[in-house]
């Protein structure tokens, strides 16, 4: 009897979702169902260097209302999982794509010189600085109505 | 630098809209930059100071506060208030370097002198008042206000 063994890297919020997505992707690779298969190992891969900011390029395949598309997206974050979280939120916001219709194909930490998006590139400045003009902060304890307008200077 | 050249005659009592801006050296004094000392307003480490070590994006900073007990972590800009203090560190430098530069610049004593720190202390002191202390505060306030109001009234009457 031939054994088929495959390891898949899944980004998920918890084990249950991870296992479910594992079977989803595996079914696309090999004709095997959860009933006929067995998960040998589920292990958590921890994020490397969680205090170093990296530029992540994420290759996404997602289903829109009228078709399926590939995308390359860039996010700056401290961890792979953080970048993927950003990606899911971003896809939901910009393309109304729900998690079930998104497939993360590849996540890669990219050197600053190889980044493509201006939003990522603008942070690549060793002398980066910006003021906070007209800073509007949420009222935590102050009353909703006050006699004088609050100051918006930082 | 006032490069404003008003060619039209100003009516007496009218000021140019942007005249007060040109009198300042810079319109914005405090910048979010590498090495800027920040005060954490909200979150787990509220009330502590930290240093901006790197910037993730426009809304998140990588921050480190080895002297004040803030671990090297990302923080939202919302959670932070900028101070006037700044140290010279390279972008993304290690925690030890931050600690060395903080002690060299003596930020802890400098921060204690800022109005932000004093206000935070005063707020904390007020929150820690007992019932008797609050009574004493109230009595002190009323006696002071009474004296002020009576003096003002006297001055009004005499003028």
């Amino acid at each position: 009897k031939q054994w088929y063994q495959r390891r898949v890297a899944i980004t998920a919020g918890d084990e249950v979702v991870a296992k479910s997505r594992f079977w989803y992707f595996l079914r696309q690779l090999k004709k095997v169902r959860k009933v006929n298969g067995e998960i040998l190992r589920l292990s958590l891969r921890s994020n490397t260097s969680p205090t170093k900011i990296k530029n992540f390029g994420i290759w996404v395949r997602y289903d829109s209302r009228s078709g399926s598309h590939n995308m390359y997206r860039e996010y700056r974050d401290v961890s792979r999982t953080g970048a993927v979280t950003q990606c899911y939120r971003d896809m939901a916001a910009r393309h109304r794509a729900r998690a079930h219709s998104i497939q993360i194909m590849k996540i890669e930490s990219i050197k600053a010189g190889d980044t493509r998006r201006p939003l990522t590139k603008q942070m690549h400045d060793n002398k980066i600085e910006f003021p906070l003009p007209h800073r509007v902060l949420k009222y935590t304890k102050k009353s909703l109505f006050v006699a004088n307008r609050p100051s918006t200077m930082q | 630098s006032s490069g404003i050249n008003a060619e039209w005659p100003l009516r007496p009592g009218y000021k140019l809209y942007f005249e007060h801006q040109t009198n300042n050296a810079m319109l914005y004094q405090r910048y979010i930059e590498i090495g800027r000392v920040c005060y954490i307003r909200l979150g787990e480490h509220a009330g502590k100071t930290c240093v901006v070590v790197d910037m993730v994006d426009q809304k998140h900073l990588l921050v480190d506060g080895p002297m004040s007990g803030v671990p090297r972590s990302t923080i939202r800009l919302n959670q932070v208030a900028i101070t006037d203090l700044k140290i010279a560190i390279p972008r993304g430098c290690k925690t030890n370097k931050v600690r060395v530069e903080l002690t060299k610049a003596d930020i802890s004593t400098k921060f204690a002198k800022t109005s932000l720190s004093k206000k935070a202390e005063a707020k904390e002191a007020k929150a820690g008042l007992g019932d008797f202390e609050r009574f004493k505060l109230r009595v002190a306030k009323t006696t002071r206000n009474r004296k002020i109001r009576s003096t003002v009234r006297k001055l009004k009457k005499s003028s």
Side-chain angles (χ1 to χ4, degrees), chain A residues 76 123 125 130 133 135 154, chain B residues 30 32 55-56 77 91:
Chain A
R76 257 174 84 78
M123 305 305 295
D125 179 9
F130 51 87
R135 194 162 197 216
Q154 349 90 323
Chain B
R30 296 181 192 170
I32 297 277
M55 293 194 236
V56 185
L77 254 187
R91 184 178 198 174

Side-chain angles (χ1 to χ4, degrees), chain A residues 137-150:
Chain A
L137 296 170
K138 271 192 172 175
Y139 274 99
T140 44
K141 292 260 174 81
K142 277 192 173 177
S143 137
L144 189 59
F145 300 102
V146 286
N148 304 306
R149 295 191 86 180

Side-chain angles (χ1 to χ4, degrees), chain B residues 120-141:
Chain B
E121 264 182 59
K123 201 173 177 185
E124 211 184 296
K126 190 174 180 186
L129 290 177
D131 190 51
F132 187 48
E133 274 86 57
R134 269 181 271 131
F135 172 75
K136 283 197 274 190
L137 179 68
R138 200 175 74 226
V139 165
K141 265 192 174 175

